[in-house]
Amino acid sequence: MDKSVLSYNGLGLPVRMRPFFNAEFLNPGEKMWITLIHKDNGIKYSSCIRMGNHLDENRLSPTRIYWDETLGDLIDDLISDANDGLILIFVKSTLEKNKYYIKIEKSESQSENEQLKRPIPKPDSPVLPEIISEKSPENIFDDSFTKLKEEEGTHFKQTHVRGWEPLKNENLMKSGHGIIFTRNKLSREQELYTEVLTNQFPSGINLNNQLQVFRCMVAFKKAFSENYNEEWIGDYDQFIKGIIEITVACDETTRLSITSLDASDSLLNEILVQVNTLFESGEVIVSSDELYIKFKQRLLQTNIYNSTTLENVVRYYMRGKYNFTDGYICSQKLSNLDSYIFDRVLATLRKFSGQMSHKELIHTLPHFPDEKIRDCLNSSSKVIRGKKGYYTHIDCFDITLQDKELLLTTITENMQDNVITTAGLFDAYMAINPDFFDRNLITDIVTLGDIFKYCYPSKYIYKRGQIIFGGGSILSSTEKVIRHLMSMRSFTYRDMEEFEDSNHYNVACRGVLKPILKKYFRLDENRFISIDQLDISENVLNEIENLLMDELQTGYVCSANIKNYLSYPYVESNPCTPYLLESIIRIYGSKFRCPLKLIEYYTGCKKPRGIIVIADSDFKNYTDILIDVLKKQNNREPFKNQMEAIEYLKEINYMQTAPRDGLSGIYSKAIAKYEYFGI
């Protein structure tokens, strides 16, 4: 491997090499992700194999393997120190798909005879690994996988870039590790336990089922007496303990006798050797799920039917050698699995040296459960959030002592009532230290907020979108807007927007208006006035009620559908609008001679929000009304489909936007009512 690989951070794959990387069936333009792991330090590099869209002189689409810039930088440094190029060695993982261990060596370590046997590669056309077939005389197993570091090339033919292919040789398990699998010697009681369980419960016993347990206990006592001419004097707890010792858990309730396993000794031995090999090659955890997938086709022919059973089989035969937790087999060197995963996630972010998406993290760390990775991203102060779904390690930012001091000064000078919003901090800090944003490519408000939180973790209280000093107010932005508006006798919609913008409050208007509309009349789209500022006479209320009764023949009416607002009386000097009518019903409706209520179905701020309903009618919520509206229209002209029903609801103002869920159920109930009553 020479400097030609630095141009593309990758190598070309000859056709004969594609099967080694499982890339023989790629389509033109298709990309396949793989993971390269440095054999000496365990660092993982996210890589991919991609087939080109064009054809070469042999009418074949060229295929290349690309690795990330971190590995490219490492190779660049090593090539600069090496006079004769480098050798890149690939080791294909036998447990996990698309995972390869790599080792980088200086080519001068090769013997002169080896160099003479190889053709000299042409510039820009590096030669890649040549894999020996099983029948090759060179494919002779001599030692375990773990000694490859000492005897590289013993089992694999090497070219200028070498590849190692795992040997499919039954002697592999015996030569390197000896026979790991041995039937544990059982005591006479344990032998009797297994005999009874195999005969009585060949598919496993449920220890939560007392009937099964007592049935097994009776059979065991009888067999003990017949075999040893004495009475077994143990108690229930001792019996359960004895069962657990010679069984493996298959799920949360079922345990299978170790003698009921119908997997061959050779298969069990191969599995245990595989586990040993992985740990000896530097792994500290092995996923039970991935171990099961590796042997799935053969295990499906046994009664080891899931990864839980397989994990507990390994636990039984290798007890004391490894730790077992949360679906993982762990090295005893590993004291805390969660801490290890956290460290690996943080190390991966640090090595990536930039924003990394959650999806890329999952791909780079395929062994770890998604929820553990999310826990780290959400709880570690060293993880800095960027645009949605992207994260960066704090060490990847260039933050000087002067940057920190300016940041603290900005907070102090711009706080109001001991509070500043993260948006306000972003604008203020950008104005005095733009170089910080340029150096670190910061464009997101949340990124700056997380950096400040990391720099000053204990001095301030951090609430969503806010930084609070000491005993400062902990009102949310929404609560502050509401408090401000309620301090005024009247205000406009524009007043609310200006207050939010000037204070960098990012709030939803529906959250502000809900409490406001209980104490304010909304005169029109823009104007609000407190209840005590508008005097509505009893005569005006009676006139409004009488007009509404004509509209409520069906028991309800959408405020936006009332056409004759000009016939409604003025409220002081204000004409009656859908907004004002809704406010009147909201505040006075329950006091009418025929009590009315307002069912609000629209959560926006710019349009009328509700449906006026007779209070003691059968219509309790928005869903009831929609079903009734659709049923009546379906009676007149049946709907062709649900989409047509939605368009009808929008057309008659009963739906401003489609509800997030439940619409299919509403439509089905409306049609069902129509069919049931035979209308």
Side-chain angles (χ1 to χ4, degrees):
M1 179 172 64
D2 55 27
K3 293 186 178 181
S4 63
V5 302
L6 301 178
S7 301
Y8 303 101
N9 272 341
L11 290 167
L13 290 182
V15 174
R16 68 179 183 279
M17 276 302 304
R18 293 177 187 176
F20 176 78
F21 290 98
N22 303 319
E24 65 267 42
F25 299 117
L26 288 180
N27 295 317
E30 185 177 356
K31 182 190 298 183
M32 179 179 71
W33 287 100
I34 64 173
T35 301
L36 302 181
I37 304 176
H38 199 294
K39 191 170 183 293
D40 291 337
N41 55 30
I43 295 176
K44 293 184 178 181
Y45 302 99
S46 182
S47 310
C48 71
I49 296 174
R50 183 175 182 179
M51 178 174 283
N53 289 309
H54 63 282
L55 301 179
D56 59 18
E57 63 273 12
N58 298 318
R59 301 196 62 75
L60 295 172
S61 295
T63 303
R64 297 184 65 88
I65 178 172
Y66 297 93
W67 45 73
D68 68 18
E69 293 181 359
T70 308
L71 178 56
D73 292 342
L74 174 62
I75 293 173
D76 189 5
D77 293 340
L78 293 174
I79 282 183
S80 299
D81 296 336
N83 297 323
D84 299 320
L86 298 174
I87 298 172
L88 178 60
I89 306 168
F90 291 86
V91 182
K92 186 175 183 179
S93 171
T94 58
L95 176 60
E96 298 162 81
K97 186 177 179 181
N98 296 338
K99 177 176 174 181
Y100 302 84
Y101 293 88
I102 60 170
K103 184 175 176 63
I104 306 172
E105 292 183 349
K106 295 182 180 180
S107 61
E108 52 195 26
S109 64
Q110 304 169 44
S111 68
E112 293 183 7
N113 290 335
E114 243 185 322
Q115 294 284 356
L116 291 172
K117 291 179 183 178
R118 297 196 182 91
I120 300 174
K122 297 179 181 179
D124 300 321
S125 301
V127 183
L128 276 102
E130 178 181 342
I131 308 301
I132 307 173
S133 67
E134 279 187 69
K135 298 180 181 180
S136 169
E138 297 175 69
N139 191 3
I140 302 172
F141 185 82
D142 182 57
D143 202 351
S144 70
F145 177 81
T146 60
K147 293 188 178 180
L148 286 172
K149 189 172 181 179
E150 301 171 3
E151 300 180 353
E152 293 155 357
T154 304
H155 319 299
F156 305 93
K157 192 173 182 179
Q158 302 146 11
T159 56
H160 200 57
V161 179
R162 293 193 301 232
W164 295 340
E165 182 74 56
L167 301 179
K168 299 177 181 178
N169 189 328
E170 291 300 327
N171 293 324
L172 174 63
M173 286 88 69
K174 298 179 182 179
S175 300
H177 297 278
I179 300 177
I180 293 178
F181 173 77
T182 56
R183 296 287 180 185
N184 294 349
K185 187 175 181 180
L186 304 177
S187 67
R188 69 173 190 172
E189 284 192 14
Q190 288 176 331
E191 288 179 349
L192 204 55
Y193 277 125
T194 59
E195 181 181 336
V196 170
L197 285 171
T198 302
N199 293 334
Q200 297 281 337
F201 303 97
S203 299
I205 183 173
N206 182 352
L207 295 184
N208 292 333
N209 187 324
Q210 289 191 348
L211 185 60
Q212 288 189 17
V213 174
F214 280 113
R215 175 183 157 196
C216 183
M217 193 170 179
V218 169
F220 173 77
K221 286 183 175 180
K222 180 179 178 182
F224 191 92
S225 176
E226 291 175 352
N227 280 271
Y228 306 118
N229 293 319
E230 59 181 285
E231 183 180 355
W232 184 72
I233 58 174
D235 58 16
Y236 179 85
D237 291 340
Q238 185 178 343
F239 178 76
I240 293 294
K241 182 179 178 182
I243 291 290
I244 292 175
E245 287 178 350
I246 49 84
T247 56
V248 294
C250 304
D251 49 42
E252 293 182 356
T253 59
T254 307
R255 299 187 70 89
L256 186 66
S257 168
I258 203 68
T259 56
S260 296
L261 295 172
D262 59 7
S264 66
D265 288 3
S266 61
L267 175 56
L268 292 176
N269 190 68
E270 189 175 345
I271 293 171
L272 301 182
V273 167
Q274 185 69 60
V275 173
N276 261 355
T277 298
L278 285 166
F279 281 110
E280 291 179 5
S281 66
E283 294 285 0
V284 293
I285 65 170
V286 173
S287 166
S288 301
D289 288 338
E290 294 182 6
L291 183 64
Y292 184 80
I293 291 171
K294 164 67 181 174
F295 294 94
K296 183 176 181 179
Q297 295 304 317
R298 294 156 70 186
L299 288 172
L300 287 175
Q301 302 173 27
T302 73
N303 56 356
I304 302 177
Y305 56 85
N306 61 25
S307 60
T308 301
T309 308
L310 178 60
E311 178 184 326
N312 286 298
V313 169
V314 175
R315 183 199 301 260
Y316 179 83
Y317 287 110
M318 306 187 86
R319 61 183 68 176
K321 189 169 184 179
Y322 302 113
N323 297 324
F324 298 81
T325 178
D326 295 332
Y328 290 91
I329 306 168
C330 307
S331 167
Q332 289 188 332
K333 298 177 183 177
L334 189 63
S335 59
N336 186 293
L337 179 61
D338 287 350
S339 297
Y340 174 76
I341 293 176
F342 271 43
D343 289 344
R344 292 294 298 275
V345 171
L346 293 175
T348 300
L349 287 174
R350 189 187 297 111
K351 290 293 180 184
F352 197 76
S353 300
Q355 287 197 350
M356 192 174 192
S357 70
H358 175 255
K359 184 177 180 181
E360 288 172 322
L361 265 174
I362 295 295
H363 174 75
T364 307
L365 302 171
H367 308 314
F368 301 150
D370 185 14
E371 63 272 15
K372 297 288 186 184
I373 294 177
R374 287 186 185 276
D375 286 346
C376 178
L377 296 176
N378 294 331
S379 62
S380 176
S381 62
K382 295 182 179 180
V383 176
I384 307 300
R385 295 168 296 167
K387 61 182 180 180
K388 189 173 183 180
Y390 281 80
Y391 305 87
T392 308
H393 194 283
I394 186 65
D395 291 349
C396 298
F397 293 95
D398 178 15
I399 306 174
T400 66
L401 181 60
Q402 183 182 9
D403 291 332
K404 292 181 181 180
E405 291 174 348
L406 280 174
L407 191 56
L408 186 58
T409 300
T410 305
I411 287 282
T412 305
E413 293 180 351
N414 290 274
M415 272 193 165
Q416 296 180 5
D417 297 327
N418 291 331
V419 180
I420 186 173
T421 64
T422 51
L425 172 62
F426 187 92
D427 291 345
Y429 195 57
M430 170 76 83
I432 67 171
N433 193 9
D435 177 62
F436 174 78
F437 293 84
D438 294 337
R439 276 186 282 119
N440 293 288
L441 303 177
I442 295 176
T443 59
D444 296 282
I445 294 172
V446 69
T447 302
L448 183 63
D450 282 356
I451 290 174
F452 181 80
K453 185 176 180 180
Y454 175 81
C455 294
Y456 301 99
S458 57
K459 191 174 182 179
Y460 297 87
I461 298 171
Y462 298 90
K463 198 172 181 180
R464 183 177 181 183
Q466 291 181 305
I467 301 171
I468 305 163
F469 176 73
S473 170
I474 56 173
L475 292 176
S476 68
S477 297
T478 299
E479 290 168 334
K480 290 181 179 181
V481 174
I482 293 171
R483 175 175 289 189
H484 171 73
L485 296 177
M486 285 190 171
S487 68
M488 298 185 289
R489 303 177 72 178
S490 64
F491 63 89
T492 65
Y493 193 86
R494 182 58 186 161
D495 292 334
M496 179 174 67
E497 291 181 328
E498 288 178 351
F499 180 74
E500 292 171 2
D501 293 342
S502 64
N503 289 278
H504 303 282
Y505 293 150
N506 182 20
V507 299
C509 70
R510 60 179 178 272
V512 174
L513 288 187
K514 187 173 182 180
I516 289 288
L517 290 175
K518 293 179 180 179
K519 296 186 177 182
Y520 284 75
F521 286 111
R522 187 172 187 177
L523 301 178
D524 49 37
E525 183 178 338
N526 187 48
R527 295 182 298 150
F528 298 80
I529 186 171
S530 63
I531 293 176
D532 59 359
Q533 296 300 304
L534 195 64
D535 184 20
I536 306 179
S537 68
E538 186 174 347
N539 289 335
V540 169
L541 291 176
N542 288 336
E543 189 175 350
I544 290 174
E545 181 181 358
N546 292 334
L547 290 169
L548 278 175
M549 287 301 105
D550 295 335
E551 303 278 358
L552 291 167
Q553 299 299 317
T554 60
Y556 55 84
V557 63
C558 179
S559 62
N561 287 345
I562 296 176
K563 304 299 183 184
N564 59 337
Y565 274 104
L566 292 177
S567 64
Y568 280 71
Y570 270 62
V571 179
E572 291 189 347
S573 60
N574 302 289
C576 191
T577 65
Y579 301 96
L580 181 53
L581 182 60
E582 285 186 359
S583 292
I584 292 172
I585 299 302
R586 190 182 290 112
I587 295 169
Y588 292 107
S590 61
K591 300 176 183 179
F592 283 3
R593 288 164 296 175
C594 176
L596 303 178
K597 63 182 179 181
L598 185 72
I599 294 179
E600 298 187 30
Y601 70 95
Y602 176 62
T603 58
C605 303
K606 297 296 183 71
K607 298 178 181 179
R609 298 162 62 91
I611 299 171
I612 301 169
V613 183
I614 296 175
D616 61 355
S617 68
D618 293 332
F619 305 109
K620 305 301 181 186
N621 51 49
Y622 179 43
T623 299
D624 292 340
I625 293 173
L626 289 190
I627 292 174
D628 190 68
V629 170
L630 291 177
K631 182 192 73 172
K632 289 175 178 176
Q633 176 61 19
N634 199 58
N635 174 29
R636 294 186 288 269
E637 184 178 352
F639 295 111
K640 296 177 182 177
N641 50 47
Q642 181 176 307
M643 185 57 66
E644 187 178 52
I646 292 174
E647 292 304 318
Y648 173 73
L649 290 174
K650 290 181 178 180
E651 180 182 340
I652 62 172
N653 296 316
Y654 278 89
M655 182 179 288
Q656 299 288 351
T657 56
R660 293 183 179 180
D661 49 40
L663 188 58
S664 296
I666 292 172
Y667 177 71
S668 298
K669 288 178 182 178
I671 303 305
K673 281 189 176 185
Y674 165 73
E675 293 176 347
Y676 179 79
F677 289 109
I679 298 173

